[in-house]
Amino acid sequence: MLKLKTASFLLVFLTAAAPNISPENVSFDPEKLAAIDEVMRQRIAEERMIGGFGLAARRGKIAYFEAWGQRDREAGLPMKVDTIVRIFSMSKPIVSVAAMILVEEGKLSLDDPVSKYLPQLGGLDVLEDGKRVAVGRDMTIRHLLTHTSGLTYGFFADDPVDVLYRKAETHKTKDIAALVDVLAGLPLKHRPGERWNYGYSTDVLGRVIEVVSGRPLDRYLEQRIFKPLGMHATGFYVRRENLPRLAKIYTPDANDSLTHADAEALSAAGRRNRDFTRPATFLSGGGGLASTGEDYFRFAQMLLNGGAGIVTGETVALMLKNHQPQPEPKFGFGFGIDPVPGRSGNLYGWGGAAGTRFWLDPEREMVVIFATQLYPGGGKRKAALRGEFLKMVYESLKD
């Protein structure tokens, strides 16, 4: 059972800096929280990461928010709690909320065919036994929100459809409209609604938002989510005055040491180079945003408090409900669902390809955020760091 607060005081809270509080006041053991720093500094010494930060909050109050290591090793710049990081797929929950604003306003329906707004995505094919055959059903907005659309990314697997995505170089399209045109010429991985598959669903959803709202995705997010929540450092590019706060991104080399992931390294891995130093043309709803720990806390806390004027509590509950046709994975509208480690209840959230992750625990009124900057590669390393941080946070709880 989801326990989402709807207190109006959150609107006041979100206009000011996120409040800090003594850990004991929200039932954390301060000594155990402090021990997290030692472990994370050890991981940096082991070169498991260059730098990172972590946040833990309960009942709208931040009990722990610390940074470790460096945001730029070559320049000797420390990681700080206001460091801007690439959040990649942590963009998906934000864009999913953005779509649900339009649903609440009656401008979009969950069961609308995507082709109502993007005609080129009607009459698609699916690949079966090496042959393209008609899908025979519409891809809907609900399918995009739940990642059951049949779209894929092309770089997570080697099946025939993923190979076709790589050959089409979907990661090189100039903007989202061009990406949709390319996707329209490719077969789906499965029929819409059959199963979960991670892919371009939220990018396509972002394009739907543009068509329905009549605004570019960056402007729509700024007006409807970022500005109301005070998320001043979140966007598809980093303003000039904030560029010194942007963390560099690193990647494991052939010897498993960490090296700066420049544009050449990203291209060699078949990944898009996201240049945050200038306004973006490819507004990726699925993975294009940069943000800070405090900004994302504002977004996460808004959800825990029932939408806080962005969407209704009923919409938040619907988004955090499992909508998958198969037992695993459990996934709602833009949010993964996992059991709380060693305790009752569920965690709701999602992560990003560079090692960021956030979790909502409605039962304990808790938000947890972790961030480092490792991309591409290093998947097991990133998962281990995030899992270790989350485990230590829960071990720090007194209740």
Side-chain angles (χ1 to χ4, degrees):
M1 180 71 68
L2 298 177
K3 300 177 181 178
L4 299 170
K5 296 176 67 177
T6 57
S8 60
F9 75 82
L10 184 67
L11 289 175
V12 177
F13 155 72
L14 287 170
T15 63
N20 297 320
I21 196 169
S22 174
E24 298 100 318
N25 289 353
V26 285
S27 299
F28 277 109
D29 183 325
E31 292 185 2
K32 288 184 177 180
L33 282 178
I36 294 174
D37 296 347
E38 182 179 348
V39 172
M40 290 299 148
R41 285 193 289 266
Q42 179 61 33
R43 298 297 170 262
I44 291 167
E46 296 165 353
E47 206 173 351
R48 309 310 294 165
M49 62 177 172
I50 300 300
F53 61 74
L55 178 151
R58 294 191 78 186
R59 303 169 196 138
K61 303 295 197 321
I62 295 175
Y64 175 90
F65 195 5
E66 299 292 340
W68 331 283
Q70 297 171 305
R71 69 180 186 272
D72 184 333
R73 179 180 60 190
E74 288 70 27
L77 299 176
M79 184 71 78
K80 296 183 178 180
V81 294
D82 69 346
T83 293
I84 298 170
V85 294
R86 300 154 183 83
I87 62 171
F88 285 95
S89 288
M90 278 171 62
S91 307
K92 289 179 169 71
I94 293 174
V95 173
S96 297
V97 168
M100 294 305 292
I101 294 173
L102 296 174
V103 171
E104 287 191 349
E105 293 175 343
K107 298 174 182 177
L108 191 63
S109 171
L110 293 175
D111 295 316
D112 281 343
V114 176
S115 59
K116 178 179 179 180
Y117 310 102
L118 306 174
Q120 61 269 55
L121 292 183
L124 298 177
D125 296 333
V126 65
L127 203 63
E128 291 183 347
D129 299 323
K131 297 180 180 179
R132 294 180 65 148
V133 298
V135 169
R137 67 180 69 159
D138 290 322
M139 178 195 299
T140 68
I141 302 302
R142 187 185 302 271
H143 294 143
L144 296 178
L145 283 161
T146 57
H147 283 272
T148 58
S149 65
L151 296 168
T152 189
Y153 270 133
F155 48 73
F156 284 131
D158 288 314
D159 71 21
V161 174
D162 288 281
V163 170
L164 289 174
Y165 269 60
R166 290 199 290 273
K167 287 182 178 178
E169 296 187 320
T170 56
H171 65 289
K172 292 184 178 181
T173 47
K174 65 177 182 178
D175 54 34
I176 296 297
L179 173 67
V180 170
D181 288 339
V182 172
L183 295 176
L186 296 169
L188 297 177
K189 197 159 182 173
H190 57 78
R191 286 179 169 78
E194 282 187 351
R195 59 185 174 87
W196 189 89
N197 186 74
Y198 204 44
Y200 283 115
S201 290
T202 315
D203 290 285
V204 174
L205 186 65
R207 179 59 183 153
V208 171
I209 290 171
E210 291 186 328
V211 171
V212 174
S213 70
R215 284 170 277 179
L217 185 60
D218 56 353
R219 192 181 309 164
Y220 181 85
L221 294 178
E222 177 67 26
Q223 293 172 347
R224 302 306 300 270
I225 296 179
F226 300 154
K227 188 174 181 179
L229 293 181
M231 298 171 65
H232 302 304
T234 302
F236 290 102
Y237 85 104
V238 178
R239 295 189 297 272
R240 183 187 300 272
E241 63 269 24
N242 288 334
L243 277 175
R245 293 164 53 193
L246 178 64
K248 287 180 73 171
I249 200 159
Y250 295 87
T251 188
D253 63 16
N255 298 315
D256 204 33
S257 295
L258 295 177
T259 185
H260 173 52
D262 56 18
E264 185 176 343
L266 293 168
S267 179
R271 306 300 174 93
R272 184 179 296 273
N273 178 34
R274 305 184 192 277
D275 182 1
F276 285 92
T277 65
R278 65 190 69 186
T281 59
F282 189 84
L283 303 178
S284 171
L289 292 172
S291 189
T292 64
E294 182 177 320
D295 272 16
Y296 213 91
F297 168 69
R298 290 169 180 266
F299 173 75
Q301 190 65 45
M302 173 272 293
L303 294 166
L304 272 192
N305 284 267
I310 303 298
V311 288
T312 65
E314 291 78 8
T315 288
V316 175
L318 179 65
M319 295 187 75
L320 301 186
K321 179 182 176 182
N322 181 34
H323 292 278
Q324 295 305 308
Q326 297 182 347
E328 295 293 337
K330 291 181 173 61
F331 196 88
F333 289 173
F335 297 84
I337 305 169
D338 296 292
V340 175
R343 293 172 180 258
S344 61
N346 287 323
L347 290 172
Y348 305 86
W350 203 239
T356 58
R357 180 88 189 196
F358 85 106
W359 300 268
L360 306 176
D361 183 341
E363 185 172 326
R364 292 162 193 85
E365 301 177 65
M366 190 157 77
V367 173
V368 182
I369 300 173
F370 175 84
T372 189
Q373 293 285 270
L374 297 174
Y375 178 84
K380 291 182 179 179
R381 178 194 311 232
K382 290 177 285 194
L385 288 166
R386 297 188 300 204
E388 188 171 31
F389 177 74
L390 181 67
K391 181 174 180 289
M392 287 187 292
V393 168
Y394 272 92
E395 289 174 347
S396 301
L397 283 174
K398 292 181 176 180
D399 59 6

